[in-house]
Amino acid sequence: MFEHEGLSKEFEFVTKESEIKHIGNSIQNTSLKMQTIAFALIQGDQDTVGELTKECLEEGISANEILDNGLLNGMSIVGVKFRDNIIFVPEVLISARAMKAGMAHIEPILSESGIEPQGKVLMGTVKGDLHDIGKNLCIMMLRGAGFTVYDLGVDTSPEDFADGFEEYQPDVIGMSALLTTTMPNMGRTIQYFEDIGLRDDVRLMVGGAPVTQEFADEMGADAYGESAVDAVEKAKELIVLLKDLRD
Amino acid sequence: MKTMTKKERVFNALNRQEVDRPPVANPTSVATVEMMDLVDAPFPEACRSAELNARLAATEITEFDFDAIAPYFSIIQESSAIGCDMQWEQKDNWPTVRMSNPIWQGSSDVKVPKDFLEHKDTKVIIDSIKILRKEFGNDIPIIGKTMGPWTLAYHVFGVEKFLLGTIDNPSETKLALEKLKEFTYLFGEAQIDAGADILTVPDHATGDLVSGQYYKTFLQELHTEMAENFKVPLILHICGRTVDRMPAISETGMHAFHFDSKNKPEEAMNAVQNKIALVGNINNPETLYSKNTIEVKKEVFDCLNAGVQIIAPECAIPLKTKSENLIAITEGVSDWLSEHNKN
C-alpha cells in the first residue's frame, strides 16, 4: 500500500470508506520520510519525530509539508484508532507527546509565516471540573489544523467564558467536561451567553467522555465533538456557517 | 415472602439471593442542593463536618426511602488528608483535587502521613458513620467508601503524568499502586470499625481512559486481594464504558459492581455471568438531571427486566437533580413489582 510497511499496517485500522479515501489519498504520494514521521508519531516515538522533523527542515522541506504529510497524517490514524477503541488515552498521550516534539520545531516557523488562521477558538473545561486531557488534545489538534486557540484552562465559569469572549473575540467556544456531575455546567454557560446577549455572536461546541449528541442538543449547543479529530471537523463547519451568516 | 429489613434486602441482593423487592441504593452519593437546603447542611461544610455530613446522608432514607445510607459524597477525602491541593468549591459544586498541581512524582514519594486517620477530612466520614449507626440502628445498611489506588494515583501524581507512566514505566506504575493501596485498606478498615456494613471502592480505570487489558494488568490482582482481605462486602465502582472489563471484574470476588449507563443492563448482565451482583445504572445527566419521572421509571424497568440486583443512579448524582426524580427510582421499583406480581 504505502512505501512504509509499518504505516501500511497501521492504515489497516482505518475501515470507513470515506476515511480510507481521505487519509489514504493524503498519505499516498508522500515521501518515505514523511511516512516515517507519521508512523513514529503513531508509535509515540517522540525522539524520532523530533529528530526527523528537525532534519527535514534542515533539508529545506517546508514546515507546512511536514505538518500536513507527516504529523497530521499520523494523528489522523491515531484519532481513528482512539474513536474505534483500538487505543485509549495513554496511547493517545504518547502520540500527542511525539506531536509536540515535532511541533516544537515547526510552530515558530509557522507563526512567523503570517498565514491567515482557519479561525479563532476559545477552549476551557467547565466549572467544577479540573480534567484537562481531552481539552488539551483538542487544542493540539486545532492548532495543528491551523486554528488560533486560546486556552482558559480548567474550572472555567460561565463568567470566565464570557470574559474570554470579550478579550479574544473567538469564532467558536469549546467546552469540555469529564464528569457527569459537571456536564450541566455546559448548559449553564450556554444559558449565560443567552442572558447577556452574546449567544448569537459565537458558536458553542461541547465535548468530553460522558457528553453525547443528545445531551449537546438538550443543552442548546451548536456542535458536539465526539473526539479531538471530530472537534476539528466541527470547528471548521461552524466557521463556514458563521462566515455565511456574517456575509 | 416476608418483608425484609433494608439491611437484609441489600445483603441478599449483594449475595445474588432472593429479595422481597429489589433494593434501591446509591453506593456513591445522592447529595443534592435541595437536600442541603432542607436539612441545612450545605457543601462544602457537609463534606467536612461529621454532624452535617450525617444529617445530609440521612436524607437518602428519610426523603427518598432508599435502602442504604452512603455518607461519603465525593472522591477526595483521603486525598485531602494526604495533602493534595484542594478546591472545596461551594454548595452547587463538588470539591475537587487540583490535579494539575500533583504532590508526588513517583512511588518513592508515597508515604502514609502519621495523622492520616485523624485528619479532619478522613475523620469526618468515620465520625459520621458512628452517628448514623447510632441514629438508625442495625437494620439500615451503611455504605462506606474508600478510594482504590488507581483513583488515588490520579490525585497524587496527576492524571496525564500517571497515564503516561503506565506506558513509559509499567513496573513503576505497579509499585506505586501497590504502595497506594495502603490508603485504601487503612481508610476502609477504619470505616468498618466505625460501623460501615459495606464498602464502595471507586477505582476509575474507566473505558473512557484506558483499555480493558489495563484493568487486568494493573488492577485485577489488587482488587481480588481486597475482596479477600476486607471483612465486609465490597462494591467496585468504575464510571464509563466498562463492559470489556466486566468479566475480569466478576472474577475478583467482590460482591458487586456499580456500573455506568454507557453499558446497557442486558449486556452488563451477560458480561458478568451471575458471578457478581450489578448495581446501577440510571443515567445521570440526561435522565435524572434533565428528564422527568416517567423517563426515570422507564430506566428502572430496563434494569429490573435485565435482572440488575440493586437499582441506583450510575454515579454520584448531579447536585441540582430534582428530588422527584430520585423518589421516582423507588416508585419505579414498586410499579415494576406490582406489574411483575400481576403477571
Side-chain angles (χ1 to χ4, degrees), chain B residues 122-141:
Chain B
T122 42
K123 199 164 180 295
V124 59
I125 303 299
I126 296 164
D127 290 346
S128 173
I129 290 171
K130 288 178 187 165
I131 294 170
L132 290 164
R133 174 57 67 223
K134 201 171 165 191
E135 192 177 337
F136 287 93
N138 282 325
D139 288 341
I140 307 269

Side-chain angles (χ1 to χ4, degrees), chain A residues 46 82 85-94 97 100 127-133 136 154-155 178-185 188 208-216 218-219, chain B residues 87 89 92-94 96-100 159-161 163-164 166-168 206-212 214 241 244-245 260 262 284-286 289-291 314-320:
Chain A
Q46 59 174 338
F82 180 60
N85 294 327
I86 295 156
I87 57 169
F88 291 80
V89 170
E91 294 84 0
V92 176
L93 284 175
I94 58 162
R97 188 171 60 184
K100 218 170 166 184
K127 178 78 188 151
D129 202 323
L130 303 185
H131 298 87
D132 59 2
I133 290 178
N136 292 347
V154 296
D155 191 30
L178 181 70
L179 306 174
T180 57
T181 48
T182 56
M183 277 165 68
N185 290 333
R188 283 182 207 134
V211 183
T212 61
Q213 182 67 57
E214 190 185 358
F215 183 79
E218 269 172 30
M219 295 293 115
Chain B
Q87 185 161 309
E89 288 290 352
D92 60 351
N93 256 323
W94 294 88
T96 41
V97 175
R98 293 195 183 103
M99 286 171 285
S100 51
V159 181
E160 194 166 327
K161 186 175 186 302
L163 291 179
L164 278 168
T166 60
I167 292 183
D168 290 339
T206 161
D208 296 328
L209 293 177
V210 298
S211 67
Y214 259 60
R241 181 86 180 146
D244 62 347
R245 61 213 69 188
D260 189 298
K262 279 193 176 173
N284 274 341
E286 284 169 13
Y289 176 74
S290 309
K291 291 184 180 167
E314 61 184 338
C315 189
I317 54 168
L319 295 172
K320 289 192 175 170

Side-chain angles (χ1 to χ4, degrees), chain B residues 225-239:
Chain B
E225 188 192 290
M226 283 175 197
E228 282 165 10
N229 290 335
F230 278 116
K231 302 294 177 218
V232 299
L234 300 183
I235 302 173
L236 179 67
H237 168 85
I238 304 180
C239 298

Side-chain angles (χ1 to χ4, degrees), chain B residues 105-108 110 150 153 157 161-180 214 217-219 222:
Chain B
Q105 296 302 312
S107 63
S108 58
V110 178
W150 191 270
F157 300 128
K161 186 175 186 302
F162 174 64
L163 291 179
L164 278 168
T166 60
I167 292 183
D168 290 339
N169 193 349
S171 315
E172 159 66 11
T173 301
K174 284 186 179 174
L175 186 59
L177 293 170
E178 189 65 30
K179 292 178 91 172
L180 285 167
Y214 259 60
T217 305
F218 293 107
L219 285 175
L222 292 176

Side-chain angles (χ1 to χ4, degrees), chain B residues 31 44 97 114 117 161 182 243 263 278 299 326:
Chain B
V97 175
K114 276 184 192 154
L117 292 175
K161 186 175 186 302
E182 197 177 340
V243 79
N263 314 276
L278 286 177
E299 287 195 25
L326 292 169

